[in-house]
């Protein structure tokens, strides 16, 4: 059916109280498996490639494979860049046909995160590409950096609203207690915090660290405003 920009899927998802699955892909088999599963369920899907997967497969190879399968798919498919670290990486991926990008400079001071994300939004929107930004720091391995407990910090509702308004992003990744990779202790997902963020921020919210997050928390998070759920570790 088609390759689409992420906003085409996520805006109706947030309004309709459902989420779209976003799965990391790194070779032809993983791309085929994710697209086939989505077709089997007649559901749209997001194929994600992060810096690690792009370096492993080669950016040109993985994007050509993903685009080929996406264009032949019987369901809408997004090709999304996950956790990009620089403007240059974002532009290379847009040039290779990605329909959505995430810039994750959430480790930088707030003002620098805003400035860098804003720059990406301006360039990406000029190309019809959607942008996901991140505020707060999610635990586990993130963008090649190991975020140990002392560096994790939660997204705050007021700053989330300010960040969305200042940057013009299309989707916001929130830090509410999920972690990238497997959990080392019992998950403690702050759904009350998510509810407060969702009350302030109308754009689709993104739940990173889907692997190992209890189904009941994922369902509740979706009902509160999460429109994209990221899964990587469980697929590898
Ligand atoms: P998991 O590896 O925990 O599934 O997280 C995936 C993710 O959030 C990718 O951005």
């Amino acid at each position: 059916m088609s390759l689409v920009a992420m906003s085409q899927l996520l805006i109706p998802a947030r309004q309709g109280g459902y989420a779209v699955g976003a799965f990391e892909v790194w070779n032809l088999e993983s791309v085929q498996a994710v697209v086939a599963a989505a077709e089997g369920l007649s559901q749209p899907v997001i194929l994600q490639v992060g810096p690690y997967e792009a370096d492993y497969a080669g950016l040109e190879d993985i994007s050509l494979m993903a685009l080929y399968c996406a264009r032949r798919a019987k369901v809408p498919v997004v090709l999304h860049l996950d956790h990009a670290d620089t403007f240059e990486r974002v532009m290379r991926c847009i040039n290779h046909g990605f329909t959505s990008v995430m810039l994750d400079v959430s480790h930088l001071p707030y003002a620098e995160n805003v400035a860098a994300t804003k720059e990406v939004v301006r360039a990406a929107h000029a190309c019809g590409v959607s942008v996901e930004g991140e505020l707060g720091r999610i635990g586990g391995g993130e963008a090649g950096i190991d975020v140990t407990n002392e560096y994790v910090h939660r997204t705050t509702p007021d700053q989330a609203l300010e960040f969305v308004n200042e940057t013009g992003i299309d989707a916001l990744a929130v830090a509410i207690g999920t972690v990238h990779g497997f959990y080392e202790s019992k998950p403690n997902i702050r759904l009350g915090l998510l509810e407060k963020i969702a009350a302030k921020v109308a754009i689709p919210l993104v739940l990173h660290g889907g692997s190992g997050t209890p189904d009941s928390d994922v369902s509740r998070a979706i009902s509160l405003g999460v429109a994209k759920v990221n899964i990587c570790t469980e697929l590898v």
Side-chain angles (χ1 to χ4, degrees), residues 24 48 82-83 179-181 208-211 230-234:
E24 239 71 26
Q48 306 198 132
D82 195 23
H83 291 290
V179 303
H180 287 115
H208 281 245
S211 299
N230 285 11
I231 311 234
C232 175
T233 307
E234 277 175 354

Side-chain angles (χ1 to χ4, degrees), residues 22-28 30-31 34 46-66 79-85 89 93 98 102 141-144 180-181 208 211 230-236:
F23 303 94
E24 239 71 26
V25 292
W26 59 93
N27 59 13
L28 180 60
S30 57
V31 172
V34 171
I46 299 166
L47 301 174
Q48 306 198 132
V49 174
Y52 175 79
E53 290 78 26
D55 290 347
Y56 169 77
L59 179 59
E60 177 149 28
D61 300 43
I62 191 72
S63 37
L64 286 173
M65 282 181 240
L79 178 58
H80 175 75
L81 169 63
D82 195 23
H83 291 290
D85 45 355
R89 192 187 289 276
C93 289
F98 283 59
M102 174 191 195
E142 183 170 63
H180 287 115
H208 281 245
S211 299
N230 285 11
I231 311 234
C232 175
T233 307
E234 277 175 354
L235 298 183
V236 182

